[in-house]
Amino acid sequence: MSTTADLVLALKAELKSARMTYADLALSLGMAESSVKRMLARGEMPLSRIDAICRALRLDFADLARRVADAQPLLAEMTQAQEQAVVADKKLLLVAICVLSQWTLEQVTAQYRLSEAEGIKYLAQLDRIGIIELRPLNRYRLKLAKTFRWRPHGPVMSYFRENALVDYYAGGFDGPGEGLLMVHGAISRALAPSFMERMQRVAQDFAQQHLADQKLAEADREGYTLLLAMRRWEFGAFTTLRR
C-alpha cells in the first residue's frame, strides 16, 4: 500500500512533468502559494487534498497510486518468513508458482482443481506476503525482480529437494524438445561467474518466451520445466577413489 509520503513525492514529479508551478497549483486549490509549498515540503496531507491536486493535474488518483506502486523496488529474494508462509499451504505454493509464470486467475482455475473463490483467496494471501500487488478484477502486478530466485537453503527449495527432484530426474529426457546434459570439467574460478550469467540469460529467455506464447492456442503449447544448475561437485563414488 502506498504511503502518503510516496504519493506526495509522486505528485511533485507530476507537477514538474506538467510544468505546473506552485503558484498555478495554489490558484487551482484556492490556497496561498506559501501554504502549498509548506504542505508539499512536509510530505503529509489528507487524501482529500491529494485528490484535489490530482484533479488540478487532470490525473486519476488510481493512476497516481499505480505509478507509486510501479516505482517500488522489486524483490530479488524473499525473506525466510515469506517463503515459510508460501510453502506452508501446498495450494498457495501452486498459485505462487503460477503467478511467477504470470498466469491469470482464469488460467489457474482452468488447469487445477481450485474454485474462483479459492483462487482469489490465495491471490490475496500472496498480496499480503508481498509477492504480488493485487489489482481490480483479480489482476495483479508481480513485485519480484527479473533476477528473483528462491533462497538456496530456504523453505521452498528445501521442499522441492525433498519432494520434486527425484521425480524430475526420473524422467527419460528423450521426448521432443527434451534433453539432459551433464558436463564435468575444471575451469578458472574467475570464469565460473560468467557461466552463471549465461545460464541466467537462458532462464530469462525461457520466461520471456513463456509470456510471448500465451497468445497461442492451448493445443499449440506444452508445459516444460527448465532446470539449470552449476556448482562445485564431484560424484561421491569418484571422490572415494581419489588419491
Side-chain angles (χ1 to χ4, degrees), residues 2-117:
S2 304
T3 67
T4 302
D6 292 328
L7 292 169
V8 172
L9 282 174
L11 281 175
K12 288 180 179 179
E14 292 296 330
L15 288 168
K16 184 176 181 180
S17 177
R19 297 183 179 180
M20 179 179 284
T21 66
Y22 286 170
D24 294 333
L25 180 60
L27 182 63
S28 177
L29 297 177
M31 297 174 61
E33 183 178 352
S34 58
S35 298
V36 168
K37 287 181 179 178
R38 190 163 52 250
M39 178 177 64
L40 291 171
R42 284 200 308 265
E44 295 181 4
M45 64 184 74
L47 289 178
S48 58
R49 185 68 72 189
I50 292 175
D51 193 45
I53 297 175
C54 285
R55 288 197 298 273
L57 286 164
R58 297 182 181 178
L59 173 68
D60 188 84
F61 178 82
D63 290 334
L64 177 70
R66 189 173 298 113
R67 291 175 195 181
V68 170
D70 290 344
Q72 298 300 310
L74 301 177
L75 298 176
E77 189 176 86
M78 293 182 199
T79 65
Q80 185 84 1
Q82 285 173 314
E83 284 202 10
Q84 189 62 56
V86 170
V87 83
D89 183 332
K90 300 308 174 284
K91 287 185 178 180
L92 179 61
L93 177 60
L94 166 65
V95 177
I97 298 299
C98 288
V99 301
L100 259 64
S101 296
Q102 300 200 24
W103 285 27
T104 64
L105 175 62
E106 293 77 12
Q107 288 174 312
V108 175
T109 55
Q111 289 291 328
Y112 298 103
R113 291 194 301 274
L114 290 176
S115 67
E116 182 180 6

